[in-house]
Amino acid sequence: KCIVLCWFPPEMKTLGFMVAIIIAGAMLLTLWGAILVAVTRPGVGGDTRASEVPYFFTAGAFGTMLYARGAFLNVCYDELSVLRPDLVGDIHRDYVRAGAELVETNTFGANPVKLAHYGLADDTERINAAASRVARVAAGDRALVLGAIGPLGVRMEPFGALGLDEAEAAFGRQVAGLVEGGVDGWIIETFSDVSELAAAVRAIQARSALPIIAQMTVGIDGRTAYGTEPAAFGPEIAALGVAAIGVNCSVGPHGVLEAIEQLARVVELP
């Protein structure tokens, strides 16, 4: 089983085009043996804005859009939710107008470890709260808001110096800010280390009961940077109590599809 999270650049605003791509993608997945399962949108935050559907349209790359609209690479993109809420909000609104039903907060790197590189660790909660508020206003009643959490960018023990309790505490600060601003659910994405992802899940579960989508990333060999196959990390993540498991980034559609096929054989979650 899998959830198909599809995104389109705001420029692709033709509904017919998006529907055609979704249908083609669904047919391809079926041919490859993946099974689309119905996902009830009210399951995310108890929302009642739509009925049972087999997929969600989601917003896509955020940093790419910020760069395309003039944000320099040497600035903290996460802080732009505070400094340029108009810019961040416009991108959210463009995705919603293009058909996105789920938008992610501009917080992929908004944890104190990464923010410390910009001297912003003390502003972790403020930046995350601002990001969720901006996304909430932009989404209105047309889309749900997912609190986006990426990896800390450092190695966890035993491969690195950062302890798992320290990682959980760092994620906890980010989660606290997102909870303050208000979200409908969570997406943890682009993780390579299951133990780090687990720390993020625990940080969320200690502060929120909303559903969590947990996504790992794999390389061209189909394994994480630590050599773990989807068939191995899938059951580990499922045991954490998340709502859905996925794979994102790093490789193209073919590599992601192969990883999803492996996951579908070993987990019952979407």
Side-chain angles (χ1 to χ4, degrees):
K1 300 182 180 69
C2 67
I3 295 177
V4 180
L5 301 176
C6 303
W7 69 271
F8 302 90
E11 291 79 7
M12 295 182 181
K13 297 180 181 179
T14 304
L15 181 59
F17 173 81
M18 293 189 291
V19 170
I21 293 296
I22 288 295
I23 292 174
M27 293 174 63
L28 178 61
L29 286 172
T30 301
L31 289 172
W32 276 84
I35 304 173
L36 289 177
V37 295
V39 179
T40 304
R41 197 174 299 135
V44 182
D47 190 84
T48 57
R49 277 168 278 178
S51 57
E52 199 170 77
V53 293
Y55 50 78
F56 292 96
F57 287 105
T58 74
F62 214 89
T64 302
M65 300 306 299
L66 288 170
Y67 179 75
R69 299 188 186 199
F72 292 109
L73 291 175
N74 61 343
V75 304
C76 177
Y77 278 15
D78 302 290
E79 191 187 18
L80 292 177
S81 297
V82 175
L83 301 179
R84 292 289 310 279
D86 54 333
L87 173 62
V88 173
D90 283 346
I91 294 173
H92 284 310
R93 278 184 285 272
D94 283 347
Y95 274 126
V96 172
R97 279 193 290 266
E101 298 164 306
L102 298 176
V103 297
E104 299 183 25
T105 54
N106 177 39
T107 54
F108 178 77
N111 60 70
V113 177
K114 284 190 173 180
L115 290 176
H117 298 307
Y118 301 94
L120 296 170
D122 291 342
D123 296 315
T124 297
E125 291 82 358
R126 182 171 68 96
I127 289 172
N128 282 275
S132 53
R133 292 190 187 104
V134 170
R136 170 71 67 203
V137 171
D141 61 356
R142 297 178 60 187
L144 302 180
V145 176
L146 299 180
I149 296 177
L152 299 175
V154 295
R155 288 180 177 269
M156 303 292 102
E157 61 182 12
F159 303 103
L162 191 68
L164 295 177
D165 55 341
E166 295 174 294
E168 184 175 342
F171 286 125
R173 292 187 57 193
Q174 182 174 10
V175 172
L178 290 167
V179 168
E180 178 185 341
V183 296
D184 298 305
W186 304 91
I187 183 162
I188 306 173
E189 55 188 344
T190 325
F191 278 69
S192 296
D193 186 344
V194 177
S195 63
E196 183 183 8
L197 183 144
V201 170
R202 289 193 299 271
I204 292 173
Q205 291 172 336
R207 297 162 178 83
S208 169
L210 294 173
I212 303 169
I213 299 173
Q215 298 188 160
M216 296 286 284
T217 190
V218 297
I220 57 175
D221 60 353
R223 300 169 180 260
T224 70
Y226 294 89
T228 310
E229 296 181 341
F233 68 64
E236 288 187 59
I237 298 174
L240 298 174
V242 301
I245 302 173
V247 176
N248 76 289
C249 201
S250 300
V251 294
H254 180 72
V256 169
L257 178 57
E258 289 188 339
I260 291 295
E261 286 180 323
Q262 291 187 48
L263 287 173
R265 299 188 190 105
V266 295
V267 300
E268 294 296 324
L269 293 174

